[in-house]
Amino acid sequence: MKITNLKTNHIENPIGFDLGKPSFSFIVTETTAKKQVAARIEVSKDDEFNSVIFDSGKSKEIDSLAFQPSIDLEPRTRYYWRVTVWADSGEISTSEVAYFETAKIDESWKGSWITPNLDSDIHPVLIKKFNIEKTIKSARFYVCGLGFYEININDKKCGDEYLSPNLNAYDKWLQYQTYDITNELKLGKNEVEILLGAGMYKGRFGLDRKENIYGDKFALLCEMVINFEDGESLIIKSDESWKVRKSKILASGIYDGEVYDDTFIDSTDYGVKKIALGFDRLKARLSLPVKIKEKLKPVEIIKTPKGETVLDLGQNMVGWLEFKVRAEKGTEINLQYGEILQEGNFYRDNLQSAKAEFKYISDGTEKLVRPHFTYYGFRYVKVSGLDEEINKDDFTGCVIYSDMETTGHIETSNELINRFFLNVLWGQKGNFLDVPTDCPQRDERLGWTGDAQVFSGTASFNMDTFAFFNKYVYDIAREQENRNGLVPNIVPVAGTNVSCSSGWSDVATIIPWTIYVQYGDKKILEQQFESMKAWVDYIKREDDNSFSTRLWTTGFQLGDWLALDGENPESFAGGTEESFIASAYYYYSANIVAKAAKVLKKEDIFKEYKALADEIKGAIREEYFTSTGRLALKNQTAYILAIYMDLVPEGKKDRVVKDLRERFKLDKNYLKTGFIGTPYICRALSKSGCNDLAYKILLNKDYPSWLYAVTMGATTVWERWNSVLPDGKISGTHMNSLNHYAYGSVVEWMYRYMAGINPIEDKPGFRYVKLEPKPHCSFKYVNMSYKSPVGIYETKWEIDNEGKLKFYFNIPFNAEAKVVLPDARFDKVMVNGQKLINGAQEGDNVVVELNSGTYEFCYEPTISYIKYYNIDFSLEELIKNEETKKILEETLPVMLPHGMIEKIGDKSIRELSNMPFFPVSSELLEKLDEKLEKIKVVFE
Ligand code: BGC
């Protein structure tokens, strides 16, 4: 038995974070034991546990998902903790030691805010030299630099994070970071250089693409605390003694890139002065560090028809290229970043006004070069200024994103779906840079709340997002201040006074609830409760000011953004009535507030918001459903929201589902949905017995569909269903990102329905789950693994050649699952090679309660899971063709020894040859399809 994944506030060994009341979590693995009987958590000030400050003792109450020890934290202190677990098998194990370290907490700052005596558009380097004469025991650096900063200590970059302090509502709060620099300092002379960049604080940013949104001056505040072995300490702080020179970085900005002149040498000291930014806004960091998480090598150097030299990274990625320069002094090298080629040439018009380039002027020495204060969303990089042949190996794509652990993976028998899953994962990597952004490449890159909201479920299966979203929702709450609870459509607001909208602003309720259910730590609800409630109160005031109809009918709405069923070509809002969407979300958010109040034991508030939610639901039913259950709106998204959000009147579900199928029939089983309908489309279908339709829509390959982009070679998810047209031309330059994750939110359906793993709200954090995969004959197998907060779950299913269903489940230690086997007869189900004894027949399904362990189920389903197509091709013709004959021989089960097909299923070859059509499985069809373009599916 092993105890792993010790995290404090869901971060591994955090240093310098604002932890509030710390919350510990851990995972038990490598055991055949089923349950935790007791656990003990000890917290100490030393790693040998001689100065223990908290000891829970052996306790039955310790929850591995979240345990809050009652300790009072001191500033600038490292705490060590470990866990011992007693299991029901008698095993006992103690974990390795984990730690967390506090920042300054409420200590006042000794340093002053300083700014260089330079024009505010000149990038500075702030310098401090000092001597160390005694042996250092420990040293820490507390720093906030605005806009971005990077520290070099004795000519070496300090820490492994980039673009600090990253982005938050700077006008409300400023984050400082803590660095352990014990090993960076040395006896004797030391030199600290801090480079400052414009960042989002003062560089061009926001919907207005303006400069100086949050401030117009570079600024630095820092404090270095050096503790010596002899017990004394030295503090080096930002003050007027710091020196300043002009930086080699001549310009920087996240949209436009960076200009770096390595020939520029400045030895003048311009001095610094104090700047009155105040200290009230300062707060220890909540943001996870943004790190280089992966490196990619270019797959190809392309010479374009225009004669350009373009590197292809093979993947739309976010970060920058690092490259080795061997060029004469004064050589200007220019890298331009783009997402797609057009007619084989470099292209970047869809980045709108973002220049997205890196200009580097060489000083003649050979070195590795990279930008410091910008990032790019790209697959292709145009390189100019290097006349000799460039070498692929000299370039490396540095992929940056917030330091989150990858937790989920899905792999299936369908290669296109596998690529789609990776595209969605890459979309998350590219857009989870401290703030969940809409896109990473053009002049936008903003925290659009709707995009984040719809994707948060998928994101939280893919990666451990607790700490990431915890910071984002904190920003949401701060942006609601002085806005009467209104949640802006963009957070952080970044300049423009944006309004709110349903679907977008509901981020305030949806993300905290999603994170609570996923991770089982109610700390996030405690932190966000007022913000969640304030948002619903805002809508209610709007409602009360317009006759208290309990519908939301006022104000600006983004609607079903980018849906394809809009009547007004000028509008992006789609065709679903905005007030319906707004009222549906009004209900949904009010209901979440009620549920959160219940979790937090706020009984009165629970009752109040439950009553409000019921009133809204009643009003929606009255306004939008006829007495026989007909939905008055005819859009896909309207049906989807009604089903997904449980708005359909009692007893009328069948009617609505029938109408929904009719709707899809009219739309030839293609989606027409935008940002609001798309995330829930497959969930609403599978939930209402239309699993077949969910798979059909998922697997559509032509426009509009998820796989269309995949068949067009996309390596990320596009903003529009047709961002690129079938002839390879980009469909427009306005709002056309090739890395927009919103539509990737269908991956949540893949986890929950295709693979079947569902957390239960009453027992959050995957302590108890419902495992209910919904296999479909369009896949031969699906494999899913998810490292939940409790441990690793796996579900796999397979449809074998005879149509038998096989399931494999792994349930982690101290977890339980209700397994639902579809279309099963209890007496036919085998588990781990034995007849099933426990469990029950529930309608068409067999239901089994299981605890930790691995289980293999196998049975013949009561309905066929093999898909047969009738193909418009005679068998005789197929047999005449050598290639297709071979495929038939390999694929069909019953054959004559010498290769002639005798019969298929129970039909003889003679009978089949006389039939105009004959049935084949989907697998065979696919293989034949590759060889014979003429095959026409006439079934369905
Ligand atoms: C963004 C979207 C966003 C939308 C809403 C766009 O420019 O890229 O993803 O949600 O605006 O207006």
Side-chain angles (χ1 to χ4, degrees):
M1 183 162 90
K2 232 177 156 178
I3 306 173
T4 61
N5 270 68
L6 275 72
K7 292 185 179 177
T8 307
N9 284 19
H10 307 269
I11 309 167
E12 215 179 299
N13 299 334
I15 298 185
F17 282 73
D18 185 332
L19 299 169
K21 236 175 161 295
S23 167
F24 296 153
S25 55
F26 58 90
I27 291 177
V28 178
T29 60
E30 294 180 31
T31 175
T32 49
K34 305 278 182 198
K35 292 238 166 260
Q36 175 179 306
V37 177
R40 174 185 181 195
I41 287 185
E42 297 157 277
V43 185
S44 171
K45 280 199 170 174
D46 69 313
D47 60 356
E48 296 194 335
F49 290 79
N50 293 321
S51 332
V52 171
I53 57 154
F54 174 86
D55 186 348
S56 68
K58 186 174 172 183
S59 158
K60 287 186 180 155
E61 306 304 318
I62 290 173
D63 180 0
S64 65
L65 296 173
F67 176 77
Q68 296 193 354
S70 56
I71 44 175
D72 290 326
L73 298 180
E74 291 168 33
R76 294 184 292 105
T77 306
R78 185 171 289 204
Y79 296 88
Y80 299 85
W81 65 281
R82 66 183 176 199
V83 197
T84 304
V85 170
W86 286 261
D88 57 358
S89 58
E91 281 173 282
I92 306 172
S93 176
T94 300
S95 70
E96 306 261 301
V97 177
Y99 61 82
F100 64 94
E101 184 177 311
T102 55
K104 289 164 64 66
I105 305 195
D106 43 16
E107 264 188 354
S108 60
W109 283 82
K110 298 188 177 63
S112 312
W113 279 107
I114 53 173
T115 189
N117 288 326
L118 284 169
D119 280 354
S120 61
D121 55 347
I122 297 176
H123 281 56
V125 180
L126 289 88
I127 307 150
K128 180 76 187 174
K129 294 182 183 173
F130 53 94
N131 263 334
I132 290 183
E133 276 141 21
K134 293 189 281 190
T135 314
I136 298 173
K137 189 171 161 226
S138 68
R140 297 289 184 270
F141 206 7
Y142 304 94
V143 187
C144 179
L146 297 169
F148 289 153
Y149 71 89
E150 224 177 87
I151 308 169
N152 293 326
I153 298 181
N154 298 324
D155 279 335
K156 211 181 120 222
K157 178 174 156 32
C158 172
D160 56 356
E161 54 185 287
Y162 295 87
L163 308 175
S164 309
N166 234 293
L167 174 63
N168 56 276
Y170 298 120
D171 50 337
K172 308 272 174 21
W173 61 299
L174 295 170
Q175 302 186 73
Y176 64 91
Q177 287 69 39
T178 302
Y179 300 87
D180 180 352
I181 53 163
T182 313
N183 298 321
E184 322 298 322
L185 300 177
K186 56 180 198 248
L187 272 177
K189 286 186 182 160
N190 286 273
E191 181 168 348
V192 173
E193 286 186 346
I194 301 187
L195 285 69
L196 295 177
M200 293 89 152
Y201 178 79
K202 77 184 276 302
R204 209 160 71 81
F205 188 54
L207 264 196
D208 295 336
R209 285 92 182 164
K210 276 199 200 135
E211 290 188 3
N212 305 331
I213 300 178
Y214 291 106
D216 59 359
K217 294 201 172 48
F218 290 107
L220 173 73
L221 172 69
C222 65
E223 216 166 272
M224 187 184 291
V225 182
I226 307 166
N227 296 315
F228 297 107
E229 286 289 0
D230 64 6
E232 292 197 356
S233 48
L234 169 71
I235 294 181
I236 308 281
K237 56 186 197 289
S238 50
D239 58 20
E240 281 151 316
S241 72
W242 282 58
K243 297 191 185 323
V244 170
R245 64 160 193 267
K246 291 182 190 168
S247 175
K248 286 170 186 272
I249 299 170
L250 305 186
S252 76
I254 65 150
Y255 296 155
D256 297 324
E258 187 168 308
V259 182
Y260 192 101
D261 184 354
D262 228 343
T263 63
F264 179 72
I265 295 170
D266 185 16
S267 43
T268 316
D269 169 27
Y270 301 90
V272 298
K273 56 175 177 271
K274 289 193 181 171
I275 176 172
L277 292 180
F279 298 92
D280 298 347
R281 279 183 290 166
L282 285 157
K283 183 175 167 76
R285 72 185 305 163
L286 287 177
S287 288
L288 288 173
V290 169
K291 291 187 177 173
I292 296 177
K293 298 280 290 177
E294 289 169 49
K295 290 191 169 182
L296 299 182
K297 279 290 181 192
V299 291
E300 201 186 339
I301 301 177
I302 301 168
K303 277 277 171 216
T304 70
K306 280 191 184 163
E308 305 148 317
T309 304
V310 173
L311 292 169
D312 176 4
L313 272 291
Q315 171 63 52
N316 195 337
M317 57 160 280
V318 172
W320 52 73
L321 273 194
E322 179 183 69
F323 56 102
K324 197 183 275 170
V325 179
R326 300 182 206 89
E328 271 177 35
K329 185 170 176 183
T331 309
E332 186 179 313
I333 299 157
N334 196 338
L335 305 188
Q336 292 180 312
Y337 291 77
E339 292 188 288
I340 188 171
L341 301 180
Q342 290 287 271
E343 288 167 358
N345 293 312
F346 182 74
Y347 174 89
R348 56 168 186 164
D349 291 354
N350 66 322
L351 309 194
Q352 300 177 169
S353 76
K355 289 201 196 100
E357 62 187 350
F358 181 52
K359 274 194 193 152
Y360 175 76
I361 302 162
S362 169
D363 64 354
T365 58
E366 183 176 320
K367 61 174 76 161
L368 272 180
V369 171
R370 64 164 171 95
H372 300 74
F373 297 129
T374 192
Y375 69 89
Y376 314 92
F378 65 102
R379 171 171 169 173
Y380 299 97
V381 186
K382 182 171 119 188
V383 183
S384 40
L386 289 170
D387 10 293
E388 20 162 339
E389 282 295 293
I390 59 166
N391 183 351
K392 266 198 313 201
D393 297 338
D394 288 345
F395 296 85
T396 305
C398 299
V399 179
I400 57 164
Y401 52 94
S402 287
D403 192 17
M404 294 170 290
E405 183 184 0
T406 300
T407 47
H409 188 71
I410 296 176
E411 194 253 338
T412 75
S413 54
N414 184 318
E415 284 309 323
L416 292 177
I417 288 294
N418 294 345
R419 183 61 239 188
F420 173 69
F421 176 81
L422 293 180
N423 291 2
V424 175
L425 195 62
W426 274 100
Q428 181 166 358
K429 292 173 184 175
N431 283 295
F432 273 46
L433 270 79
D434 197 32
V435 166
T437 56
D438 57 335
C439 59
Q441 71 297 76
R442 67 168 176 242
D443 52 355
E444 198 154 351
R445 315 186 196 188
L446 295 166
W448 281 98
T449 49
D451 307 42
Q453 179 268 106
V454 299
F455 192 64
S456 58
T458 294
S460 305
F461 274 106
N462 286 341
M463 295 187 195
D464 180 349
T465 60
F466 191 105
F468 178 84
F469 278 130
N470 183 57
K471 177 255 173 179
Y472 185 58
V473 293
Y474 177 79
D475 246 332
I476 288 171
R478 299 302 307 263
E479 292 288 29
Q480 285 174 278
E481 288 169 10
N482 317 326
R483 288 189 168 90
N484 234 344
L486 176 150
V487 178
N489 288 333
I490 300 174
V491 172
V493 169
T496 320
N497 199 11
V498 278
S499 61
C500 61
S501 167
S502 66
W504 272 250
S505 305
D506 297 284
V507 72
T509 55
I510 292 175
I511 291 190
W513 184 252
T514 302
I515 297 303
Y516 163 70
V517 174
Q518 195 85 11
Y519 299 96
D521 185 350
K522 59 176 188 259
K523 193 173 155 85
I524 194 146
L525 296 182
E526 285 159 0
Q527 178 189 302
Q528 293 305 121
F529 190 72
E530 286 309 316
S531 144
M532 298 164 79
K533 190 162 132 332
W535 166 238
V536 173
D537 292 348
Y538 173 88
I539 313 175
K540 183 160 178 290
R541 271 196 307 277
E542 290 282 297
D543 166 17
D544 285 341
N545 290 338
S546 55
F547 312 110
S548 305
T549 56
R550 294 295 167 258
L551 299 173
W552 185 12
T553 54
T554 55
F556 169 79
Q557 299 291 346
L558 287 161
D560 190 14
W561 188 252
L562 297 185
L564 303 173
D565 57 358
E567 280 167 29
N568 174 3
E570 303 292 303
S571 159
F572 295 118
T576 308
E577 188 185 301
E578 289 171 11
S579 298
F580 175 76
I581 297 175
S583 304
Y585 269 103
Y586 180 16
Y587 162 75
Y588 198 64
S589 279
N591 197 41
I592 288 178
V593 170
K595 290 192 286 187
K598 188 147 204 148
V599 172
L600 300 178
K601 303 204 165 49
K602 297 173 189 284
E603 234 1 84
D604 290 349
I605 304 183
F606 161 70
K607 280 189 196 137
E608 186 187 337
Y609 285 80
K610 179 82 187 76
L612 174 64
D614 288 346
E615 281 175 32
I616 302 165
K617 194 189 260 190
I620 291 174
R621 288 176 172 176
E622 199 174 315
E623 175 70 19
Y624 292 101
F625 288 90
T626 66
S627 57
T628 51
R630 180 198 288 258
L631 177 59
L633 306 176
K634 289 281 159 272
N635 311 80
Q636 290 183 4
T637 292
Y639 287 109
I640 290 161
L641 285 188
I643 291 171
Y644 177 78
M645 294 185 178
D646 281 327
L647 302 172
V648 177
E650 307 314 328
K652 301 293 185 275
K653 186 130 181 247
D654 289 351
R655 163 72 198 258
V656 172
V657 171
K658 193 175 137 272
D659 292 351
L660 165 75
R661 290 199 80 107
E662 204 50 44
R663 169 76 266 168
F664 274 103
K665 213 165 166 189
L666 289 172
D667 295 330
K668 302 199 167 49
N669 291 337
Y670 278 83
L671 51 75
K672 290 206 161 180
T673 50
F675 276 36
I676 294 297
T678 306
Y680 303 139
I681 186 170
C682 288
R683 290 179 71 179
L685 288 169
S686 289
K687 182 180 163 181
S688 54
C690 304
N691 200 43
D692 56 331
L693 207 45
Y695 275 91
K696 170 83 185 81
I697 289 164
L698 177 77
L699 291 173
N700 281 336
K701 287 191 206 145
D702 39 1
Y703 167 81
S705 68
W706 287 284
L707 293 186
Y708 167 63
V710 180
T711 63
M712 290 296 293
T715 57
T716 36
V717 177
W718 298 339
E719 180 168 15
R720 298 179 185 245
W721 291 117
N722 66 345
S723 285
V724 181
L725 302 172
D727 62 5
K729 289 213 174 70
I730 194 140
S731 60
T733 54
H734 177 56
M735 260 178 33
N736 203 357
S737 137
L738 303 187
N739 192 356
H740 232 72
Y741 53 58
Y743 290 158
S745 49
V746 69
V747 164
E748 187 173 356
W749 172 86
M750 289 168 66
Y751 281 108
R752 285 175 181 264
Y753 288 87
M754 182 192 244
I757 181 161
N758 279 282
I760 303 289
E761 292 189 348
D762 290 344
K763 291 182 183 165
F766 292 82
R767 176 73 69 219
Y768 180 84
V769 302
K770 191 152 140 209
L771 294 174
E772 189 178 7
K774 291 201 177 285
H776 190 259
C777 53
S778 46
F779 286 79
K780 213 163 159 31
Y781 67 86
V782 166
N783 294 342
M784 184 282 313
S785 87
Y786 170 55
K787 184 173 177 187
S788 81
V790 177
I792 296 177
Y793 280 93
E794 285 173 284
T795 74
K796 299 178 182 176
W797 57 258
E798 187 193 326
I799 303 169
D800 77 6
N801 287 338
E802 283 133 45
K804 270 200 183 139
L805 283 180
K806 289 184 178 164
F807 293 91
Y808 169 90
F809 299 109
N810 181 52
I811 302 163
F813 173 78
N814 214 18
E816 285 171 289
K818 174 181 181 164
V819 171
V820 182
L821 303 167
D823 302 308
R825 281 236 338 257
F826 186 80
D827 54 353
K828 288 258 179 83
V829 177
M830 303 288 286
V831 57
N832 296 343
Q834 312 276 321
K835 269 197 129 185
L836 183 66
I837 328 172
N838 299 317
Q841 185 78 43
E842 282 184 14
D844 294 334
N845 306 325
V846 167
V847 176
V848 197
E849 294 284 344
L850 296 173
N851 54 21
S852 163
T854 57
Y855 304 87
E856 270 184 56
F857 291 92
C858 178
Y859 60 92
E860 209 167 297
T862 49
I863 60 164
S864 172
Y865 272 78
I866 296 188
K867 185 165 192 170
Y868 290 102
Y869 295 87
N870 284 313
I871 61 169
D872 189 3
F873 212 93
S874 101
L875 184 62
E876 262 166 337
E877 268 181 78
L878 288 175
I879 294 169
K880 261 191 247 152
N881 175 318
E882 269 311 307
E883 270 186 310
T884 50
K885 182 179 161 209
K886 200 156 165 266
I887 294 171
L888 288 170
E889 285 169 356
E890 281 168 5
T891 320
L892 294 174
V894 191
M895 282 174 281
L896 282 178
H898 46 271
M900 252 316 281
I901 299 166
E902 188 189 26
K903 60 182 203 171
I904 304 167
D906 57 358
K907 295 258 186 303
S908 75
I909 192 81
R910 196 172 301 278
E911 274 177 283
L912 285 167
S913 304
N914 292 332
M915 283 166 68
F917 305 123
F918 73 96
V920 294
S921 69
S922 58
E923 185 200 11
L924 171 58
L925 179 73
E926 227 167 72
K927 286 194 176 172
L928 291 174
D929 208 12
E930 283 167 22
K931 302 285 169 210
L932 299 166
E933 282 168 13
K934 280 173 269 172
I935 289 181
K936 205 172 96 203
V937 180
V938 292
F939 176 77
E940 288 185 337

